[in-house]
Amino acid sequence: MKNRFLLAGLFVFAFTISFAQSTYYFSEGLGIGPCHKYGREALYTDQLAYMLYNGSLKQPVEGQMLAAGDAVKWKVVKTDTAHRFRGDSFSNGYIYLSYESKKEQVVVLNITGNDMVYVNGAPRGGDVYRYGWMNLPVKLKKGRNEFYVRVARFGRFGGVVAKLTFPEKPVYMHTEDLTMPNAVVGLKNDSLWAGLVVANTTAKALTGLTVKSVVSGRQIVTNLPVIPAYMTRKIGVVLDAGSVSVAGKLPVALTLLQGGKEIDSKAIDLEVMPAWKQYSRTFVSEIDGSVQYYAVSPYIGPKSNTSPALFFSVHGAEVQAISQARAYKPKDWGVVVAPTNRRPRGFNWEDWGRLDALEVLGIAKKQFTPDPARIYLTGHSMGGHGTWFLGATYPDKWAAIAPSAGYPTLSSYGSHDGMIPDSSGSEVESVLLRASNASNVPALAQNYKGLGVYIAHGDADRTVSVEYARQMKKLLAGFHPDFSYYEHKGGGHWYGDISVDWPPIFDFFSWHTIAKDTATYHIDFTTANPGVSAKMKWATIQQQVVPLKYSNVKLNLDKQKNSISGTTSNVATLSLDLSAFEKGSKISVQLDNENALSVDVAENNQNILLRKSGKWSLSTNGLEKEKNPLRSGTFKEPFKNRMVFVYATKGTPDEILWAYEKARYDAETWYYRGNGAVDLVRDSEFDMEKFRDRGVILYGNSTSNLAWNKLLANCPVRVSAGKIVVGSHEFVGSDLATYFTWPRADSRVASVAVVAGTGKMGMQATNANQYFAGGSGFPDLMIYSAEMLEKGFKGVKMAGFFGNDWSVEKGDFVITK
């Protein structure tokens, strides 16, 4: 049943009653743009957000300029018959919507095709993928409620749909965004993890929830984490499918309980796959504790003492991992494993996409015990980029790589988040962009020397130009002795399964193996960030001289002469694994044409540490308290190790409200972009031992967040009302904002990321969370005023990197006047 209403003289809504729920579709609004610029970097500008924060934003009216002298004006926008706002009037801009509520009430806001939305001034997550799964419980106030919907440049293509739903139940399960395994005939299926969403539309955080799952009479009860007030959270549920012998579908009954009382139920299916067919399996990620999956095209060769090869295949944008696996016919000499990148778009196989790939690679090695000499990497489109990137970043993990229809770097090819800028407009922007150096595949191309490389591309590809393949062919031709190149005549972006399952690729793979570390006598390895990539065979770059500039080692190992020699560039600390030499031998290590160092090999698998302070010398001091590959800095690094978001509960009402709203917004963004889940914890409930070795994202400053002194007592950065102190530097103002990282003193692996401001406007200036954009670079420390939203890099006060000892004095910072 549908009725039409005109509300507030501005919007027409569709009213639909379905399953006892009412849905209002926004059909008219006001659009404006361009007025913001967000991308794959720490800098951003947003004139509307700046005015919203400083209180100068007026209620929009048709024809009204955003600000005096602006060329952009508000224009009326209307939906089409599919409820979509489309057009150029809000590209890189905003859509303004409003709703008159007759009473205070809770609704579920669902918007597709947006980056985020301000709901009565509070930032909430966006549906950048247009899947329709971003359901936001919102408490409406009586009277006018305002929604500023931020849209990127692609909004005009897919359109934006906005609706309000009045939920039937206050707490319920969503099954649209499932992360499901397959039960597989012949495999263990008694503890399969499934991921689904629980919505809490109440004013209280929910504790003590459980989900009971029943599959073919087998029942398991899973305890759930806290579901915060007015939020959804993706949770994990265990399924017991027992021993299955026949392919098909098994009904699964899910019951959500609180205190043993049923509050919701859902029915889903668990698909059972035969052992010879492609299937999905799930796991609990160590990044954040969420349920993720990978897909498999199984090995169908004879059972023997010979271990299969492993073909690691990374998918393209909007491709599911299971679809990637299904593009490959099962192989008789190896198994195909496809990770997810956390979502079909995810992080472009960088940042947490990279970590997901490494996590699944580790699982695949344990699950399938492949021949360690026969591990190969391939992928298509965005996965072609992933192949170039992962191949250059971890060259000792692969025998050969085969990028198909790929682009090498995010500075030349972008997607929804745009491209990494390839040049800077100022010294401070140069420092900020340096944090993205690890994404620059061409700068790492020498790392391919030890790999076979097969490049495939359709010569008629209109999505990713074949010129990218030709560019890499030309680059490799200058130094690489072992690569093949193939252009598929008339081939578009996807010319069938042979785009990836191309027999010559697998023939090429069969000719290549990974040499053992102890049989590798020459290393030429480059990294931009030891926290991303540090190790090549028996050499590890532990620390850099200049942070996040390119570091290189060219080393030769000579067993007959019992020596290691070579050159280094931008390397402060280096470790060497001496497993190639016999116990009891004496070897010489000569670096950069300095006098050789004599080393006694006292034990098998011995490692030595060398530091350069003027000259190279042996060191016995560990690196646990210094920068090292386990935590080498940058603001994004702490977002792992099952990170937890700790928000402030002290300070002014504005500070308290901002801290929770910002933590909630980041959690919503992380969920949607990365299929993730994270604990939101009040500062008063944060316990160091309970959350040991976990990354911490701290929202608030030294006076508002009670966890500050627990985590940052020895930190040289202090943020308080009206002031930021960094060592001997002081910045004053109520509109200052900062992102920075600091190692947890009680952990060898975990760090803290701080999101803070000196006042309400400074805190609001941190709302942008471009750190979730794949490949975006953030340094160790960045301080800026809210004016950055209007003036760009001119608003940055300080940016750079702490020293290897985590000091300011030995760091590399740019400070502006």
Side-chain angles (χ1 to χ4, degrees):
M1 184 178 75
K2 293 186 177 180
N3 297 313
R4 296 284 182 181
F5 296 93
L6 183 66
L7 297 180
L10 185 59
F11 299 108
V12 177
F13 301 94
F15 178 69
T16 304
I17 297 179
S18 177
F19 302 103
Q21 290 189 337
S22 302
T23 302
Y24 286 86
Y25 283 92
F26 292 89
S27 62
E28 187 172 333
L30 292 168
I32 198 165
C35 61
H36 63 69
K37 183 180 179 182
Y38 294 83
R40 297 183 193 274
E41 61 174 327
L43 293 175
Y44 75 97
T45 58
D46 191 329
Q47 183 65 37
L48 187 144
Y50 182 64
M51 296 174 68
L52 177 66
Y53 299 157
N54 68 24
S56 65
L57 183 63
K58 299 177 181 178
Q59 182 178 322
V61 177
E62 182 182 5
Q64 173 184 288
M65 294 183 293
L66 182 60
D70 275 358
V72 294
K73 297 180 180 180
W74 290 102
K75 299 177 182 179
V76 172
V77 292
K78 297 182 180 181
T79 60
D80 58 18
T81 55
H83 306 294
R84 297 175 299 182
F85 291 102
R86 304 183 75 179
D88 292 323
S89 59
F90 48 82
S91 181
N92 284 324
Y94 284 85
I95 302 172
Y96 171 76
L97 306 171
S98 72
Y99 175 72
E100 292 285 340
S101 180
K102 295 182 179 180
K103 61 180 180 179
E104 187 178 272
Q105 58 183 319
V106 177
V107 299
V108 175
L109 173 66
N110 182 290
I111 305 176
T112 61
N114 65 318
D115 283 3
M116 58 85 67
V117 57
Y118 291 101
V119 179
N120 293 327
R124 302 299 299 266
D127 179 0
V128 294
Y129 303 134
R130 297 186 180 87
Y131 295 158
W133 300 336
M134 181 56 98
N135 296 296
L136 305 173
V138 171
K139 186 177 182 180
L140 298 179
K141 62 185 179 181
K142 182 179 180 181
R144 179 177 291 270
N145 293 268
E146 297 182 302
F147 308 86
Y148 287 94
V149 183
R150 196 178 87 209
V151 184
R153 66 189 186 281
F154 294 119
R156 64 184 183 274
F157 298 119
V160 175
V161 178
K163 62 184 179 181
L164 300 175
T165 301
F166 297 82
E168 178 185 3
K169 297 179 180 180
V171 182
Y172 55 95
M173 294 180 287
H174 275 295
T175 56
E176 299 93 337
D177 182 18
L178 290 173
T179 301
M180 288 293 292
N182 293 131
V184 181
V185 175
L187 297 185
K188 185 178 179 181
N189 300 296
D190 59 356
S191 56
L192 304 175
W193 282 95
L196 71 153
V197 174
V198 173
N200 177 13
T201 69
T202 74
K204 294 183 178 180
L206 297 178
T207 59
L209 295 179
T210 59
V211 170
K212 179 178 69 176
S213 67
V214 180
V215 185
S216 300
R218 288 175 291 275
Q219 174 181 307
I220 291 184
V221 176
T222 308
N223 295 321
L224 301 190
V226 176
I227 314 296
Y230 301 126
M231 278 191 70
T232 62
R233 174 168 179 162
K234 196 153 189 186
I235 54 91
V237 175
V238 182
L239 311 178
D240 180 3
S243 178
V244 294
S245 57
V246 180
K249 290 186 178 181
L250 297 176
V252 179
L254 300 174
T255 306
L256 180 63
L257 304 132
Q258 186 174 39
K261 180 181 179 181
E262 178 179 329
I263 54 178
D264 193 27
S265 62
K266 288 288 189 294
I268 60 174
D269 289 325
L270 175 64
E271 190 167 7
V272 181
M273 305 300 293
W276 53 266
K277 199 168 184 179
Q278 295 86 352
Y279 61 87
S280 298
R281 294 298 251 189
T282 50
F283 65 98
V284 176
S285 171
E286 287 301 314
I287 298 173
D288 63 347
S290 63
V291 176
Q292 305 296 324
Y293 91 96
Y294 61 93
V296 178
S297 183
Y299 166 66
I300 58 169
K303 293 183 178 180
S304 65
N305 293 329
T306 302
S307 297
L310 172 61
F311 310 114
F312 202 66
S313 183
V314 289
H315 63 73
E318 290 303 336
V319 177
Q320 291 283 352
I322 186 61
S323 298
Q324 183 79 359
R326 287 170 179 160
Y328 294 92
K329 294 181 176 65
K331 307 298 177 190
D332 62 3
W333 67 285
V335 57
V336 177
V337 174
T340 67
N341 187 36
R342 303 283 275 187
R343 287 286 194 191
R345 284 192 180 271
F347 305 102
N348 304 84
W349 297 107
E350 302 198 20
D351 297 318
W352 302 279
R354 168 182 60 84
L355 294 178
D356 175 73
L358 294 178
E359 202 166 21
V360 173
L361 180 62
I363 292 170
K365 288 180 178 180
K366 292 179 180 178
Q367 181 69 30
F368 303 108
T369 58
D371 181 344
R374 297 191 299 161
I375 299 176
Y376 308 92
L377 173 66
T378 186
H380 178 265
S381 189
M382 182 183 75
H385 165 67
T387 302
W388 284 122
F389 173 72
L390 294 169
T393 305
Y394 305 109
D396 61 352
K397 293 186 183 297
W398 326 105
I401 66 172
S404 174
Y407 49 91
T409 174
L410 291 171
S411 66
S412 62
Y413 186 94
S415 54
H416 179 89
D417 291 307
M419 295 183 289
I420 299 172
D422 59 3
S423 62
S424 61
S426 68
E427 186 180 12
V428 71
E429 188 175 11
S430 178
V431 168
L432 295 174
L433 291 179
R434 198 198 304 171
S436 293
N437 276 349
S439 297
N440 190 349
V441 165
L444 306 176
Q446 293 287 330
N447 290 350
Y448 297 130
K449 280 183 178 178
L451 304 173
V453 180
Y454 189 108
I455 306 171
H457 215 115
D459 68 357
D461 191 336
R462 294 185 178 182
T463 303
V464 178
S465 171
V466 69
E467 290 302 322
Y468 291 111
R470 293 169 182 170
Q471 168 196 344
M472 293 304 291
K473 174 188 177 184
K474 183 178 180 180
L475 179 62
L476 292 179
F479 69 89
H480 203 293
D482 182 20
F483 78 93
S484 292
Y485 182 85
Y486 169 71
E487 285 186 17
H488 192 84
K489 187 174 179 60
H493 191 56
W494 180 262
Y495 42 89
D497 288 351
I498 60 171
S499 300
V500 291
D501 196 12
W502 179 234
I505 286 178
F506 289 89
D507 289 342
F508 185 82
F509 283 171
S510 70
W511 307 332
H512 293 83
T513 57
I514 302 173
K516 292 182 178 180
D517 290 3
T518 54
T520 300
Y521 305 114
H522 178 72
I523 288 175
D524 183 351
F525 175 65
T526 300
T527 183
N529 182 350
V532 172
S533 174
K535 180 179 178 294
M536 177 62 174
K537 300 293 184 177
W538 37 265
T540 302
I541 297 174
Q542 298 281 351
Q543 295 177 338
Q544 299 174 293
V545 178
V546 181
L548 274 72
K549 285 194 174 182
Y550 298 103
S551 300
N552 174 262
V553 292
K554 292 181 175 69
L555 302 173
N556 297 297
L557 185 151
D558 191 323
K559 286 186 177 181
Q560 291 184 336
K561 295 182 178 179
N562 275 358
S563 68
I564 294 175
S565 61
T567 61
T568 71
S569 174
N570 194 38
V571 178
T573 308
L574 177 70
S575 64
L576 301 174
D577 183 342
L578 305 183
S579 298
F581 301 102
E582 293 184 3
K583 180 180 177 180
S585 62
K586 184 184 292 289
I587 70 166
S588 68
V589 178
Q590 184 182 39
L591 300 176
D592 300 328
N593 295 315
E594 296 178 7
N595 292 332
L597 302 171
S598 179
V599 179
D600 292 318
V601 182
E603 57 187 41
N604 295 324
N605 304 318
Q606 181 176 337
N607 277 268
I608 59 171
L609 187 69
L610 302 106
R611 293 179 185 262
K612 187 168 188 178
S613 180
K615 292 185 177 181
W616 286 103
S617 62
L618 292 167
S619 176
T620 57
N621 296 326
L623 298 174
E624 292 84 0
K625 301 298 183 181
E626 302 179 30
K627 285 189 173 182
N628 64 71
L630 292 178
R631 51 179 185 188
S632 192
T634 78
F635 171 77
K636 296 169 71 168
E637 188 271 336
F639 287 79
K640 61 181 183 179
N641 295 316
R642 298 202 178 200
M643 72 274 196
V644 55
F645 292 180
V646 180
Y647 60 91
T649 62
K650 299 297 180 182
T652 68
D654 283 341
E655 291 175 333
I656 296 170
L657 181 62
W658 166 81
Y660 179 74
E661 289 179 347
K662 169 62 173 167
R664 177 182 62 187
Y665 172 45
D666 278 5
E668 290 170 344
T669 304
W670 173 250
Y671 150 65
Y672 210 73
R673 278 185 173 263
N675 192 30
V678 67
D679 292 326
L680 268 64
V681 177
R682 294 167 57 93
D683 54 0
S684 58
E685 297 174 357
F686 177 76
D687 179 84
M688 296 285 280
E689 186 60 33
K690 179 180 178 181
F691 297 102
R692 173 172 289 277
D693 288 331
R694 293 178 66 173
V696 176
I697 319 303
L698 188 147
Y699 300 89
N701 58 37
S702 63
T703 54
S704 66
N705 195 303
L706 296 174
W708 184 286
N709 287 334
K710 295 179 182 179
L711 293 162
L712 303 166
N714 298 319
C715 180
V717 184
R718 194 85 176 170
V719 185
S720 57
K723 185 168 63 176
I724 299 178
V725 176
V726 183
S728 61
H729 307 287
E730 183 174 295
F731 304 88
V732 178
S734 61
D735 68 339
L736 297 177
T738 184
Y739 305 124
F740 69 89
T741 185
W742 189 251
R744 285 189 62 164
D746 62 336
S747 175
R748 292 187 175 189
V749 296
S751 298
V752 184
V754 178
V755 181
T758 58
K760 180 181 178 181
M761 194 168 177
M763 293 174 180
Q764 289 175 316
T766 69
N767 281 342
N769 50 22
Q770 290 308 105
Y771 35 84
F772 291 130
S776 61
F778 282 71
D780 290 355
L781 169 73
M782 176 180 175
I783 297 172
Y784 58 98
S785 73
E787 286 188 342
M788 189 185 78
L789 280 68
E790 187 175 40
K791 300 179 180 179
F793 69 83
K794 294 180 181 179
V796 179
K797 305 298 182 183
M798 183 177 183
F801 306 89
F802 296 112
N804 286 326
D805 61 354
W806 291 101
S807 71
V808 175
E809 294 76 16
K810 294 183 180 180
D812 183 11
F813 295 97
V814 172
I815 301 174
T816 63
K817 296 181 179 179

